[in-house]
Amino acid sequence: MATLTPAPAVLTDTTPAKHPGGPARPRTVRVWRGVVLLIAALYFLVPMATAFVFTVNIPNVGFTLDAYTRIFTVEGFVSSLSLSLGLAAATIVLVLLLLLPAMLAVRLAAPRLKPVLEVLCTLPMVVPPISFTAGISSLLPWAQDVLAPTPFYQTIITIQDQRFPLILVLAYVVLALPFAYRSLDSALTAIDVRTLVEAARNCGASWPRVMLSVIVPNIRSGLAGASFLTLALVLGEYTVARLLGYVPFPVWIVMISGSQAQVSVAVSVFSLLLTWALLLAVSSAGVRKRSAS
């Protein structure tokens, strides 16, 4: 009978062995994370606080919000801000329309060209903005002379219109390519593009339908990131616009700083908050769309 009695199960301790330094490591990580966040907060908030104090504390007058109440009445504020927002919207649309189809075509039809496309898109990062602008400044007069007897002469004049300079949009597209490419490349790498496209095509979907109903919904976070970075670049770019003679919002802020110092700093604080609000809206839109999908 003793041989028929089942042997008691041997209980094994499945609890993971405690590492001598285990409990201390997460606490150390949290402490260092807090230190890094505190340093980053001081790095960003101290200059903003100093600028705000400069705008509201006038010697012999005391605390006043006069600099902020005069922002919207200063000549050139609305026109320069509207121009920068319009340039940013046009740049975002043009970057996405050019880059996304090109990246999909390379992934589906010519994967060996992906390194070439990557080099072309990241090349603007190694070109100084002054050299880039000098090239544009040299090219425009030459193009006017060459295209003068052709129907394209009016085109070269139109892209230099002071009311909405398309030449700035083209320049910003080149400058935004490295950031937009990285964001879209990460989003496309996270999905199986070939399988999704082949499945949609086998179901009878046209190429525009594949783009709008299959690809775009699956890379919303990448599209939001590319738009986020392009918007930040355009709203903060100064060198190209200044050297080409246009007055978007960053150039206008520098122009009024010589005559109205406190108003210019107040406008800088306002523009910084506006830029953060726009970037937060773009980022939140991408997160909400991804959560909904």
Side-chain angles (χ1 to χ4, degrees):
M1 294 296 293
T3 56
L4 298 177
T5 303
V10 178
L11 298 178
T12 58
D13 186 9
T14 58
T15 305
K18 295 183 178 179
H19 192 275
R25 186 173 181 179
R27 190 179 303 114
T28 305
V29 172
R30 286 197 297 271
V31 171
W32 279 108
R33 185 185 304 167
V35 171
V36 172
L37 290 177
L38 178 61
I39 295 174
L42 292 175
Y43 181 79
F44 287 105
L45 294 180
V46 168
M48 287 194 63
T50 305
F52 179 75
V53 170
F54 174 75
T55 56
V56 299
N57 185 23
I58 300 178
N60 302 325
V61 176
F63 180 83
T64 176
L65 295 176
D66 182 63
Y68 290 92
T69 57
R70 287 192 294 151
I71 287 179
F72 298 97
T73 60
V74 179
E75 183 180 0
F77 171 79
V78 176
S79 59
S80 60
L81 181 59
S82 302
L83 177 59
S84 287
L85 293 178
L87 291 173
T91 304
I92 291 172
V93 172
L94 191 55
V95 165
L96 296 181
L97 288 179
L98 289 176
L99 197 54
L100 183 57
M103 295 178 68
L104 286 176
V106 167
R107 285 175 177 270
L108 296 175
R112 293 183 178 180
L113 293 180
K114 184 182 176 182
V116 177
L117 180 63
E118 183 176 0
V119 170
L120 291 177
C121 291
T122 55
L123 193 60
M125 295 190 71
V126 300
V127 178
I130 293 180
S131 302
F132 178 62
T133 311
I136 297 176
S137 302
S138 303
L139 178 64
L140 290 177
W142 174 82
Q144 290 182 16
D145 295 337
V146 173
L147 298 178
T150 68
F152 297 102
Y153 177 74
Q154 189 57 41
T155 302
I156 201 66
I157 298 299
T158 302
I159 65 173
Q160 302 178 65
D161 191 348
Q162 289 285 342
R163 293 171 296 180
F164 192 82
L166 289 175
I167 188 65
L168 277 186
V169 175
L170 300 177
Y172 291 159
V173 167
V174 175
L175 296 177
L177 277 180
F179 312 105
Y181 176 83
R182 289 302 178 194
S183 180
L184 294 179
D185 184 61
S186 300
L188 291 174
T189 304
I191 63 174
D192 191 346
V193 177
R194 183 176 296 278
T195 301
L196 290 174
V197 171
E198 290 179 354
R201 294 289 293 170
N202 289 335
C203 291
S206 60
W207 279 108
R209 183 69 179 274
V210 171
M211 287 287 294
L212 297 178
S213 301
V214 178
I215 299 300
V216 170
N218 284 284
I219 59 169
R220 282 195 177 106
S221 60
L223 294 172
S227 304
F228 178 96
L229 296 172
T230 304
L231 177 65
L233 183 144
V234 174
L235 293 182
E237 201 285 325
Y238 172 81
T239 305
V240 176
R242 179 62 175 172
L243 295 180
L244 291 180
Y246 300 106
V247 190
F249 198 54
V251 177
W252 177 80
I253 292 176
V254 176
M255 290 176 62
I256 67 168
S257 62
S259 57
Q260 305 180 55
Q262 287 180 321
V263 174
S264 68
V265 176
V267 171
S268 299
V269 175
F270 172 78
S271 66
L272 188 59
L273 296 177
L274 176 64
T275 303
W276 283 1
L278 292 175
L279 297 181
L280 184 61
V282 173
S283 178
S284 300
V287 172
R288 283 200 298 271
K289 293 291 185 182
R290 183 175 55 186
S291 301
S293 62

